[in-house]
Amino acid sequence: AFLSSTNESKNFGAFHQCIPSPADVFHPLSTRWSKITAHKGHNYSKVYETAIKAGFDASAQWNLWNVSMGTPEPLMSYQDSETMNTKISLEYARVYLTRPWFMINWMQSNNWSYLDTKPGSISQGSVANNIGKELLIGAYPTELILARNVKVTAEFSEKVLDALKSSSLGLAAVSWGPFKIGGLGFSSSTFEESTSSQEINGTITMPGPFVIGYVLNTLPYSAPEEGKKS
């Protein structure tokens, strides 16, 4: 959605429609999703290729966990690299965002300004130039990378295993890459401890869907001219 300045004093802004494509991607029975499985120790060449095409960070360390204890602010935080035999399976989809009302061709012109702002206050024209600067629209999302039906099995380290047990009580939040398990707001995720295997001691299930990544577009250098003070 986009918040317009039109009639802000009356209705706090007007929201303009953002259309996802494919439109049925959020339906539970949607067939627009692809499945991927990754296991530490396997040949990752095809996994990396698929991950890159889907927008994933293929350089991610598959056995690295982040654990935060305490709510609402973390009381303890650490990274865990002792978890072994990590295997993850999930379905992913790439969703394109269309805004019929948002046209930017006119912004290529060199003779316009915006209110009383200085040149370049909307965008500096590139990701490198926009990073770290306070801009009106440094970038905007054009695609979403979604994941659902995430399943993680592993031989969890003692610390992570304890945190996963606590997560069901809302006392800990555990994350693996972009996925969060337990803590406030993640009641749909579940953890089941297992003692039947020497290589796996638990399974995490997260139905989702989750937004795990974005594809952003950068506006051209805007505005090209200095605005006039009213």
Side-chain angles (χ1 to χ4, degrees), residues 7 26 30 49 89 97 136 147 161 177 183 185 189 202-204 216 225:
N7 296 325
F26 293 103
S30 174
E49 181 180 352
S89 63
L97 304 177
L136 294 180
L161 189 62
S189 61
T203 300
I204 301 169
L216 303 177
E225 295 184 353

Side-chain angles (χ1 to χ4, degrees), residues 55-131:
F56 289 100
D57 179 5
S59 64
Q61 297 188 33
W62 302 94
N63 64 333
L64 187 59
W65 293 82
N66 293 314
V67 180
S68 297
M69 300 290 291
T71 55
E73 296 295 333
L75 300 180
M76 178 178 64
S77 176
Y78 62 88
Q79 290 184 327
D80 171 75
S81 57
E82 298 177 359
T83 294
M84 302 175 61
N85 302 323
T86 302
K87 180 179 180 180
I88 180 170
S89 63
L90 58 85
E91 295 176 355
Y92 67 90
R94 192 167 186 167
V95 182
Y96 298 89
L97 304 177
T98 303
R99 302 171 179 85
W101 46 269
F102 190 45
M103 304 296 179
I104 64 172
N105 292 341
W106 61 271
M107 301 184 79
Q108 300 286 352
S109 172
N110 294 323
N111 58 352
W112 64 276
S113 62
Y114 177 69
L115 299 179
D116 59 350
T117 61
K118 295 182 179 180
S121 60
I122 298 176
S123 171
Q124 293 285 307
S126 69
V127 174
N129 291 336
N130 286 351
I131 291 178

Side-chain angles (χ1 to χ4, degrees), residues 54-56 94-95 97 99 139-146 210-217:
F56 289 100
R94 192 167 186 167
V95 182
L97 304 177
R99 302 171 179 85
Y140 63 96
T142 57
E143 301 174 34
L144 301 178
I145 309 300
L146 305 179
F210 308 93
V211 177
I212 61 172
Y214 304 88
V215 176
L216 303 177
N217 189 41

Side-chain angles (χ1 to χ4, degrees), residues 67 69 78 80-84 155-166 191 193 201:
V67 180
M69 300 290 291
Y78 62 88
D80 171 75
S81 57
E82 298 177 359
T83 294
M84 302 175 61
E155 182 184 353
F156 298 106
S157 69
E158 183 178 353
K159 287 185 177 180
V160 172
L161 189 62
D162 289 342
L164 288 170
K165 293 177 182 178
S166 299
F191 171 71
E193 189 175 7
N201 59 7

